Amino acid sequence: MTHAAEPVAYDVVVIGAGPVGENVADRARAAGLTTAVVESELIGGECSYWACMPSKALLRPVVARADARRVPGLSGAVQGPLDAAAVLAHRDEYASHWKDDGQAAWLDGIGADVFRGHGRLTGPKQVTVTAPDGTEHRLTARHAVAVCTGSRAVVPGLPGIADARPWTSREATSAKEVPGRLVVVGGGVVGVEMATVWNALGAKVTVLVRGKGLLPRMEPFAGELVAEALTEAGAEIRAGVSATAVRRAAGGGPVTVELDNGESVEADEVLFATGRAPRTDDLGLETVGLEPGSWLTVDDTCRVEGTDWLYAAGDVNHRALLTHQGKYQARITGDAIGARAQGKPLDTARWGAHAATADHGAVPQVVFTDPEAASVGLSLAEAEQAGHRVRAVDYDLASVAGAGLYADGYRGRARMVVDLDREVLLGVTFVGPGIGELLHSATMAVVGEIPVDRLWHVVPSYPTISEVWLRLLETYRG
């Protein structure tokens, strides 16, 4: 092992070069701070190579075909199977063939220094990077260290699981061929999106759900509509069951998943989409009085509680495990670091420039299934649990003219949750084909706390699916 002769000092050291780390570095550099970025895998992180980009590249042909099949004059031309090889090749392009040259060039372009290797804290404001060849680089931070290492998939410790070589989200988005049969354990976002993809590409998919249904963190009707569509597409959904063991012969072959009801299901591959854990277990947290493997609790500037120099943005702080929300936190983090470094006062009031307020009640998410499910803010149950006096207003999206024009046999639903004391929206959910792009209007209404009386003057274009806004408001006003 070769050791660096002297520590190299930077204003800011960022550990993790995914989208979150990249954005922290960008904002720090914009504030005039020298910045080092440490990455142990590919620059661009989980999102670019094993999550957002490859999964959406896989889903786009699936959803486009489904939409086309609902359009008169076109439906007859798209009844055949998808070209799986072309879909996988399209995915490879969007994953940059798992090469990070472009992302590395971007970081270089903003003036950040990149250190490839495993970074560990070795004390306050100290990071040691062990490069792949064993060389060590010691870095010190004058102002801040930002941990942006993200999360990893959790695989439960079931009997036989190690020998079964299960898929996680990484294998599900990067697989090179379509399995004949796939068992998906878990009914959250990863589970339903990957079930949608591989079922459409020709796999016989079985989804095992421990609870009552799919997408348990959204309004109940979201999971119900997605489950209905998956079932019609040929997938099997088993609710109220848990995997208790997994078996696969040492030489390969099919995998068997044993269930708590005494039954079992056999497949060629099994995907466990059963949660995430923070990538902090080998980060040196113990050297600064924190627990290895723990989520990092932060304030609204994303500064780790109990410190004045350590920040954590993205999945690792467990506030909202979504790329776009992590990038939002990164912008807040970089600006807060810059302001503190320059001795400027911080605006940490609600919706202030240095407060990640949206994490608490305005997190948007689109599930890119067929139909799409999208939500922002609080569900009805969450709003009631938080003590708000609310009313849920529902509308059948199929009754909107734009939805009928979008697709024959359109099925969907919309809900807005109204705070009756302030008459603003606390949450909005849409489910239906083509509604993903509709969510940003809801996000602006929730973040902007636009009064219902003012929303009445926001006129939707006719005939678009956005007309559902008018119908929801009419239903509310009576």
Side-chain angles (χ1 to χ4, degrees):
M1 181 178 293
T2 304
H3 297 271
E6 293 291 339
V8 182
Y10 291 89
D11 292 325
V12 181
V13 177
V14 180
I15 306 177
V20 178
E22 289 175 323
N23 274 268
V24 171
D26 189 35
R27 296 311 303 159
R29 288 293 300 148
L33 303 179
T34 60
T35 305
V37 182
V38 181
E39 177 54 55
S40 61
E41 293 189 288
L42 295 176
I43 295 171
E46 199 81 10
C47 172
S48 299
Y49 308 103
W50 299 286
C52 317
M53 297 308 290
S55 67
K56 279 34 177 199
L58 288 168
L59 283 157
R60 179 59 194 148
V62 174
V63 173
R65 181 182 66 164
D67 282 347
R69 285 179 168 179
R70 302 183 186 107
V71 178
L74 180 59
S75 58
V78 288
Q79 290 302 315
L82 288 166
D83 183 338
V87 172
L88 297 180
H90 174 66
R91 180 272 319 273
D92 293 351
E93 287 290 328
Y94 271 84
S96 301
H97 298 276
W98 293 273
K99 297 178 181 178
D100 64 2
D101 299 9
Q103 302 261 11
W106 183 86
L107 270 180
D108 182 65
I110 66 168
D113 288 349
V114 177
F115 291 83
R116 291 186 181 267
H118 181 70
R120 295 184 85 255
L121 293 164
T122 48
K125 297 184 181 179
Q126 298 175 28
V127 176
T128 296
V129 184
T130 304
D133 65 1
T135 301
E136 281 192 353
H137 299 277
R138 288 183 292 158
L139 311 178
T140 61
R142 298 185 187 94
H143 297 291
V145 174
V147 176
C148 306
T149 50
S151 63
R152 57 177 173 79
V154 172
V155 177
L158 300 177
I161 197 147
D163 294 331
R165 302 180 302 283
W167 280 7
T168 67
S169 52
R170 283 198 170 194
E171 289 77 20
T173 56
S174 62
K176 298 301 183 184
E177 58 185 28
V178 181
R181 299 164 297 172
L182 174 66
V183 169
V184 177
V185 182
V189 177
V190 172
V192 297
E193 288 190 346
M194 291 300 96
T196 298
V197 165
W198 295 109
N199 180 75
L201 289 177
K204 172 59 181 174
V205 172
T206 303
V207 182
L208 306 177
V209 185
R210 184 170 54 186
K212 294 181 179 180
L214 306 181
L215 300 175
R217 296 187 177 183
M218 300 184 83
E219 298 283 10
F221 62 81
E224 291 166 5
L225 286 166
V226 171
E228 184 179 304
L230 269 173
T231 301
E232 290 179 359
E236 179 183 2
I237 299 172
R238 300 189 191 181
V241 297
S242 295
T244 57
V246 187
R247 292 183 283 107
R248 194 196 297 259
V255 61
T256 300
V257 181
E258 297 178 1
L259 308 177
D260 59 355
N261 62 2
E263 299 177 357
S264 64
V265 57
E266 185 180 89
D268 299 288
E269 301 291 349
V270 57
L271 162 63
F272 279 89
T274 49
R276 309 286 297 181
R279 303 181 86 171
T280 60
D281 47 343
D282 189 19
L283 192 60
L285 292 181
E286 69 280 1
T287 69
V288 295
L290 297 170
E291 183 181 349
S294 65
W295 301 100
L296 296 176
T297 304
V298 300
D299 63 18
D300 277 356
T301 69
C302 294
R303 188 167 62 178
V304 175
E305 291 185 353
T307 78
D308 63 1
W309 60 274
L310 185 62
Y311 293 74
D315 282 13
V316 75
N317 65 30
H318 208 224
R319 287 164 70 104
L321 278 66
L322 296 160
T323 294
H324 49 269
Q325 209 69 19
K327 291 165 71 174
Y328 161 72
Q329 294 169 12
R331 295 190 292 272
I332 300 292
T333 299
D335 289 347
I337 291 171
R340 285 184 171 126
Q342 295 163 5
K344 296 179 179 178
L346 268 67
D347 180 3
T348 58
R350 190 168 183 262
W351 304 117
H354 305 110
T357 308
D359 289 349
H360 302 299
V363 175
Q365 180 171 25
V366 179
V367 185
F368 293 86
T369 45
D370 173 41
E372 292 175 340
S375 67
V376 63
L378 304 181
S379 67
L380 174 61
E382 289 169 338
E384 290 175 337
Q385 187 175 14
H388 297 287
R389 193 171 68 91
V390 295
R391 175 186 167 193
V393 182
D394 291 352
Y395 199 79
D396 179 4
L397 265 168
S399 299
V400 177
L405 289 167
Y406 188 91
D408 274 3
Y410 192 104
R411 284 179 288 181
R413 186 171 170 184
R415 167 174 288 180
M416 67 180 190
V417 178
V418 183
D419 181 330
L420 295 174
D421 294 320
R422 294 189 297 145
E423 289 224 313
V424 298
L425 306 188
L426 295 178
V428 181
T429 299
F430 302 115
V431 183
I435 54 79
E437 297 296 339
L438 192 59
L439 185 63
H440 199 59
S441 59
T443 304
M444 287 191 283
V446 172
V447 171
E449 298 177 334
I450 303 173
V452 170
D453 283 350
R454 180 58 60 87
L455 286 172
W456 186 248
H457 296 280
V458 180
V459 182
S461 297
Y462 183 87
T464 65
I465 300 176
S466 295
E467 195 185 14
V468 70
W469 278 111
L470 175 58
R471 302 300 170 223
L472 286 166
L473 293 166
E474 287 175 335
T475 303
Y476 177 72
R477 290 166 69 104

